[in-house]
Amino acid sequence: MTSGNDIIPAARAVEGPARGGVPLDDSTTLWAAPGTGTTERWLRATLGAAHGLPLRPGPEEAHNGLRLLVDDTLEPEAYRLSVVADAGIEIRGGDPAGVFWGAQTLRQLLGPQAFRRAPVRPGTRCAVPHQIIEDGPRFRWRGLLLDVARHFMPKEGVLRHLDLMAAHKLNVLHFHLTDDQGWRIEIERHPRLTEVGSWRSRTKFGHRASPLWDDRPHGGFYTQDDIREIVAYAAERHITVVPEIDVPGHSQAAIAAYPELGNTDVVDTSALAVWDTWGINPNVLAPTDNTLRFYEEVFEEVLALFPSEFVHVGGDECPKEQWRGSPTAQARIRELGLADEDGLQAWFIGHFDAWLAARGRRLIGWDEILEGGLAEGAAVSSWRGYAGGIAAARAGHDVVMCPEQQVYLDHRQDGGADEPVPIGYVRSLEDVYRFEPVPPELTPEEAAHVLGTQANVWTEAMEDPARVDYQVFPRLAAFAEVAWSRLPAPERRDFAGFERRMEAHYERLDALGVAYRPPGGPKPWQKRPGVLGRPIEGAPPRR
C-alpha cells in the first residue's frame, strides 16, 4: 500500500501512516451522505471493479466501513481523508467535488491494482494504513486543452482522458473543437459544417516543412448526443468542459463548408477545402452581419450542450491581410469608426462577449483578444508567454496562465535525436515541475485575477492516441502538482522527491495503459525517425 506522502499531486498535510489500518474486503460497506452520489457511484464502478469488492450499503457507524459526507466547514474542493483502525475510512469534502478528490487520493493509497478494471489477484486482501490527510487545491482552474480539431480523437478517447484528468485532480477540459483542419461538433442548423468541414483529403505528416504526407482522408466529429455524453461523464467527475469555437481566424474548415463566411470580395472562397497542413491560415471570417448571425446560431446550439460558465472563442492568430484588401471590411471599419483592422477584430470579439453575457455566460479567448481593446468581463488565456496575462490581470480581467514556452505539451521532452517529431523548446519533466503560474511582478490584488493554469495539447504532430499519451505523460503529473499543490518557489521545489514519488506513479500509469515517455527515453515504437519537426534550441524566453 502507498502512504499519503507518496501521492501525486502532493497533499497539504499528512499525519501518519501508522501501524494498523482498515482492511478492504467483502465485508466493507459504503455509507454516502446526501451530496456525495457522484463519488459513491465512482467508488463502486472503479475501486469496486478493480478489487472485486461489492461495497454494499451499510450504516454510518460501521467499523469496517467507508463513509462519505460533505462538511461545509472545509473550503470548496478541499477534503479530509481519515483512515482509523476500528473506525473505518471517512472522506469529508468541503463540497461534492472535495469528496471526489478525496476518493482519488484513496485510490492512490491502494496501490496500482486500484487503477485496473478487474482484479488481477482475486481474493487478495488489501488494507489502508492508518493516516489522516488534509488537502485542497491552490487554483480553481486546473485545466487541460485537448485539440481534437487537428487530429480527431474518437469519443472513447475523450472519455479516457477525462478519467486520466480526474486521477490527477484536474477539473477543466478545454475542448478545442474547430480549426482550419476540421470542424468536430454537429450543428443541426448548419449540417455542412460536419458534412464538409469535418474531414480533409490528406494530412501533413510532421511539421509543415516536412515533405511527408499521409494520403488517407482524415476526419470525424461528435454528434450532439456524443457531446451530451462527454459533458455528463465529465460532470460525474467534477470536470467542467469549456468548448472552443474559433473566430475570426482558424476558420477555413467552416469557410470550406459555407463559402459566404469568408472574404468573398478578396478570394474565391468556393475553391477552398478543409486545410491539410499546419501553420497560420490567411483565410479568416468576413466581418459581416451574415457571419455574426451564422455564428450566433452556432453558439446557440453550443450553449444548449455545454453548461460551462466560460465559452472560448479563440481570437488568436488572425491575419489581417484579407481585411486590408476587402472593400467590405474597410467599409465596416469606417461605419464603426474604428482605427484599423485590430479594432475590427476587437469589435468582432466584443460582439460575442456581449452576446454571451446577455445569456449568462462569460467569454474567454487567447491573449490576442487584448489587441484593440478587451471587452469588460472577458477573460484571457495567456499563451504567448506571461505578458498577455500580466496585462490582462492589471486591467482587471481574469486570466488562465498557459504560456507556450512552459506548458505546451506538444513541445519536446528532451534534446535527444530520438524524440518523435521534435517541436519547440525542450520542456522536461523537471521544467514543467518548476513552472510557476503566477508572475511575481503581480500585486496580490492583480494575482487574484489568475483563475489558474492549463497545459495545452496541440495535436498537429500527434497522429494517433499513443502519440498523445507520449507527449502528455508523465509531464501532466508534474503539471497537476503545480496546479493543485501549494509548492514553494520554483528553485526550492523538491524535484528529487517528486521523482521518487513518480516511481510509484509510473506503476499507476502502467495499470491505466498510458503509453507515457519512459524516464530513459522513447521505446523503439515511440520514435518517428525521419519525420521533420521544428526544434528550437536554448532556454525559452521568460516573457
Side-chain angles (χ1 to χ4, degrees), residues 257-294:
Y258 291 95
E260 65 271 20
L261 296 174
N263 295 285
T264 57
D265 54 353
V266 179
V267 294
D268 179 10
T269 56
S270 65
L272 295 177
V274 177
W275 212 25
D276 57 11
T277 189
W278 320 121
I280 300 176
N281 189 300
N283 295 298
V284 303
L285 297 174
T288 64
D289 290 342
N290 174 67
T291 300
L292 295 180
R293 298 294 88 75
F294 183 97

Side-chain angles (χ1 to χ4, degrees), residues 4 7 9-14 79 105 133-136 481 484-485 501:
I7 65 171
R12 188 182 302 174
V14 178
Y79 67 88
T105 295
I133 301 172
E134 296 186 354
D135 201 6
E481 186 147 310
W484 175 275
S485 306
R501 287 182 286 125

Side-chain angles (χ1 to χ4, degrees), residues 173-305:
L173 174 64
H174 178 163
F175 209 16
H176 184 75
L177 289 163
T178 73
D179 217 295
D180 300 302
Q181 296 85 3
W183 185 284
R184 305 293 178 212
I185 177 172
E186 177 188 26
I187 302 297
E188 293 176 348
R189 207 172 313 182
H190 300 296
R192 286 176 59 83
L193 287 170
T194 47
E195 291 170 0
V196 173
S198 70
W199 69 278
R200 55 183 181 263
S201 61
R202 64 174 187 169
T203 299
K204 176 67 70 173
F205 190 24
H207 183 255
R208 62 179 176 272
S210 167
L212 302 176
W213 293 89
D214 182 341
D215 287 320
R216 296 173 297 174
H218 178 87
F221 67 92
Y222 308 104
T223 67
Q224 294 203 357
D225 278 348
D226 290 337
I227 294 292
R228 292 183 183 99
E229 181 182 357
I230 289 167
V231 170
Y233 194 87
E236 279 283 301
R237 286 146 185 80
H238 298 276
I239 296 171
T240 298
V241 183
V242 174
E244 180 178 349
I245 306 294
D246 263 304
V247 296
H250 287 289
S251 297
Q252 183 160 319
I255 296 169
Y258 291 95
E260 65 271 20
L261 296 174
N263 295 285
T264 57
D265 54 353
V266 179
V267 294
D268 179 10
T269 56
S270 65
L272 295 177
V274 177
W275 212 25
D276 57 11
T277 189
W278 320 121
I280 300 176
N281 189 300
N283 295 298
V284 303
L285 297 174
T288 64
D289 290 342
N290 174 67
T291 300
L292 295 180
R293 298 294 88 75
F294 183 97
Y295 273 86
E296 285 173 0
E297 291 170 354
V298 168
F299 280 116
E300 282 175 4
E301 296 192 27
V302 168
L303 296 191
L305 295 168

Side-chain angles (χ1 to χ4, degrees), residues 69-223:
L69 63 158
V70 174
D71 180 349
D72 60 11
T73 65
L74 300 175
E75 299 169 357
E77 294 194 272
Y79 67 88
R80 188 173 192 268
L81 170 59
S82 303
V83 184
V84 179
D86 298 323
I89 301 171
E90 179 181 276
I91 303 175
R92 290 177 176 264
D95 55 12
V99 179
F100 184 72
W101 303 133
Q104 295 296 329
T105 295
L106 175 62
R107 187 189 198 186
Q108 291 197 22
L109 298 180
L110 293 171
Q113 163 61 42
F115 291 81
R116 296 189 179 274
R117 297 187 182 183
V120 294
R121 296 175 183 84
T124 301
R125 179 179 168 133
C126 60
V128 187
H130 176 194
Q131 57 197 302
I132 297 173
I133 301 172
E134 296 186 354
D135 201 6
R138 179 184 179 191
F139 293 111
R140 60 171 277 206
W141 185 302
R142 306 180 302 279
L144 175 71
L145 178 144
L146 195 56
D147 169 23
V148 296
R150 273 53 175 269
H151 278 99
F152 179 66
M153 179 177 287
K155 180 194 68 178
E156 287 302 316
V158 177
L159 301 181
R160 173 177 176 265
H161 276 274
L162 288 167
D163 281 330
L164 292 171
M165 289 176 64
H168 292 84
K169 300 185 175 75
L170 299 174
N171 69 343
V172 177
L173 174 64
H174 178 163
F175 209 16
H176 184 75
L177 289 163
T178 73
D179 217 295
D180 300 302
Q181 296 85 3
W183 185 284
R184 305 293 178 212
I185 177 172
E186 177 188 26
I187 302 297
E188 293 176 348
R189 207 172 313 182
H190 300 296
R192 286 176 59 83
L193 287 170
T194 47
E195 291 170 0
V196 173
S198 70
W199 69 278
R200 55 183 181 263
S201 61
R202 64 174 187 169
T203 299
K204 176 67 70 173
F205 190 24
H207 183 255
R208 62 179 176 272
S210 167
L212 302 176
W213 293 89
D214 182 341
D215 287 320
R216 296 173 297 174
H218 178 87
F221 67 92
Y222 308 104
T223 67

